[in-house]
């Protein structure tokens, strides 16, 4: 695991956007795994700026989103599809056929989930998976107790997650109880994971994920087994990390050839 601690979320997000932009420039068929939530917003804003001001070309990019609520009418503003359109897809030139967001209104959800896994494989797998982290340590919508080998499937959200995500719905009771999410096994197959976490509210989950035991009770802790997991946090989210000073020192003294 590489833990990168920056003073604020903007500086942290610019590092993450730089890693993604490099993949887009250097890989002939880049495949991105995308997350929703507040954490990746500044990364998407920077990628949109790079498209507008620097002509960053997304025409060869394929994307797979982590998750979606089940049962929302198409176009519902709280859906992750709508979130992605607003914050990224409407502003960059990813061919629409290359964009994949789980379909929460699929009539046969297990069949849809199998097909989603197959499309990821057919695209050659995910190069960089962007992740946030729930206050309960979830990644995607893999809540505590999710199998660490799980694949894309339907899940039931915890009360804590429905509360955390209630802004877009006007109250926790209006947040759909079910979702489709890539599994933890699916996420672990991506070639790199880039987890973003900002603010004091995430400090406990970040410390458990990076320095606690690997356990299904903190799904993000499985990233300790990933060969290339980069955890990018601000000072507040890093505030409960025991080895924070060491991570800062490592980052400040990285050899030039060893790019993040
Ligand atoms: C939701 C998403 C996760 C995201 C989490 C944290 O539960 N399914 O992918 O990481 O929220 O959200 P935020 O970044 O808004 O704190």
């Amino acid at each position: 695991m590489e833990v990168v601690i920056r003073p604020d979320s903007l500086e942290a997000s610019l590092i993450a956007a730089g890693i993604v932009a490099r993949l887009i420039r250097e890989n002939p068929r880049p495949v991105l795994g995308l997350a929703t939530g507040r954490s990746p917003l500044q990364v998407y804003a920077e990628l949109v700026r790079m498209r507008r001001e620097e002509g960053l070309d997304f025409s060869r990019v394929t994307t797979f989103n982590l998750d979606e609520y089940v049962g929302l009418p198409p176009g519902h503003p709280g859906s992750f599809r709508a979130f992605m359109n607003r914050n990224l897809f409407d502003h960059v030139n990813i061919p629409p056929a290359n964009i994949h967001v789980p379909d929460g209104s699929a009539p046969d959800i297990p069949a849809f989930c199998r097909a989603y896994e197959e499309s990821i494989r057919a695209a050659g797998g995910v190069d960089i998976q962007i992740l946030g982290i729930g206050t309960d340590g979830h990644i995607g919508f893999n809540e505590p107790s999710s199998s660490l080998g799980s694949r894309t499937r339907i899940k039931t959200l915890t009360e804590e997650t429905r509360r955390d995500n209630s802004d877009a719905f006007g109250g926790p009771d209006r947040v759909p109880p079910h979702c489709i999410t890539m599994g933890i096994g699916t996420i672990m197959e991506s070639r790199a994971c880039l987890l973003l976490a900002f603010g004091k509210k995430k400090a406990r989950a970040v410390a458990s994920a990076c320095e606690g035991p690997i356990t299904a009770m903190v799904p993000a802790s499985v990233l300790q087994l990933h060969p290339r997991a980069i955890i990018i946090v601000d000072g507040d989210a890093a505030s409960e990390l025991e080895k924070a000073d060491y991570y800062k020192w490592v980052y400040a003294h990285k050899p030039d050839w060893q790019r993040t």
Side-chain angles (χ1 to χ4, degrees):
M1 259 185 174
E2 179 176 11
V3 181
V4 178
I5 304 172
R6 304 312 295 158
D8 60 60
S9 64
L10 179 60
E11 211 184 294
S13 299
L14 294 182
I15 291 174
I19 295 171
V20 173
R22 194 165 69 220
L23 175 83
I24 294 175
R25 284 192 203 99
E26 293 180 357
N27 189 310
R29 289 189 58 201
V31 180
L32 294 177
L34 300 176
T36 53
R38 285 167 290 268
S39 309
L41 276 176
Q42 294 176 102
V43 175
Y44 297 153
E46 174 64 5
L47 291 172
V48 169
R49 188 200 65 74
M50 288 175 172
R51 168 74 200 139
R52 202 180 46 236
E53 293 176 14
E54 298 167 14
L56 182 64
D57 181 16
F58 289 76
S59 63
R60 292 165 294 99
V61 172
T62 297
T63 66
F64 290 92
N65 263 81
L66 280 170
D67 45 18
E68 179 60 287
Y69 295 104
V70 165
L72 291 178
H76 187 290
S79 71
F80 287 163
R81 175 70 205 212
F83 173 100
M84 290 307 304
N85 288 348
R86 273 195 310 272
N87 293 296
L88 185 68
F89 299 152
D90 286 350
H91 313 288
V92 296
N93 62 326
I94 306 171
N98 292 6
I99 292 174
H100 305 84
V101 181
D103 178 2
S105 52
D108 181 344
I109 289 182
F112 175 83
C113 293
R114 283 192 298 275
Y116 202 70
E117 291 270 337
E118 186 42 45
S119 324
I120 296 174
R121 262 192 299 277
V126 170
D127 290 304
I128 294 181
Q129 176 65 59
I130 296 176
L131 296 167
I133 184 169
T135 52
D136 61 4
H138 72 231
I139 46 175
F141 263 144
N142 294 283
E143 298 284 28
S145 82
S146 289
S147 158
L148 298 183
S150 51
R151 314 300 311 186
T152 303
R153 68 209 182 295
I154 190 164
K155 283 292 288 178
T156 306
L157 300 175
T158 60
E159 257 185 74
E160 181 176 345
T161 297
R162 291 174 78 204
R163 215 173 27 245
D164 286 348
N165 289 6
S166 61
D167 283 358
F169 294 91
D173 294 343
R174 298 200 185 154
V175 179
H178 295 114
C179 63
I180 295 174
T181 181
M182 273 189 206
I184 297 177
T186 320
I187 292 169
M188 287 294 283
E189 280 171 11
S190 58
R191 285 182 272 282
C193 286
L194 210 57
L195 185 145
L196 303 156
F198 308 126
K200 269 256 181 301
K201 227 180 134 190
K202 298 293 173 75
R204 182 95 301 268
V206 167
S208 306
C210 297
E211 297 177 339
I214 298 171
T215 165
M217 292 308 286
V218 182
S221 65
V222 74
L223 295 174
Q224 294 175 31
L225 292 172
H226 196 287
R228 188 156 156 72
I230 307 171
I231 316 298
I232 306 186
V233 295
D234 65 3
D236 282 343
S239 59
E240 293 191 34
L241 286 167
E242 198 179 304
K243 297 270 180 222
D245 289 343
Y246 172 66
Y247 307 137
K248 286 180 190 163
W249 198 91
V250 169
Y251 189 73
H253 295 85
K254 260 184 126 166
D256 286 341
W257 54 267
Q258 197 186 35
R259 306 183 296 186
T260 295

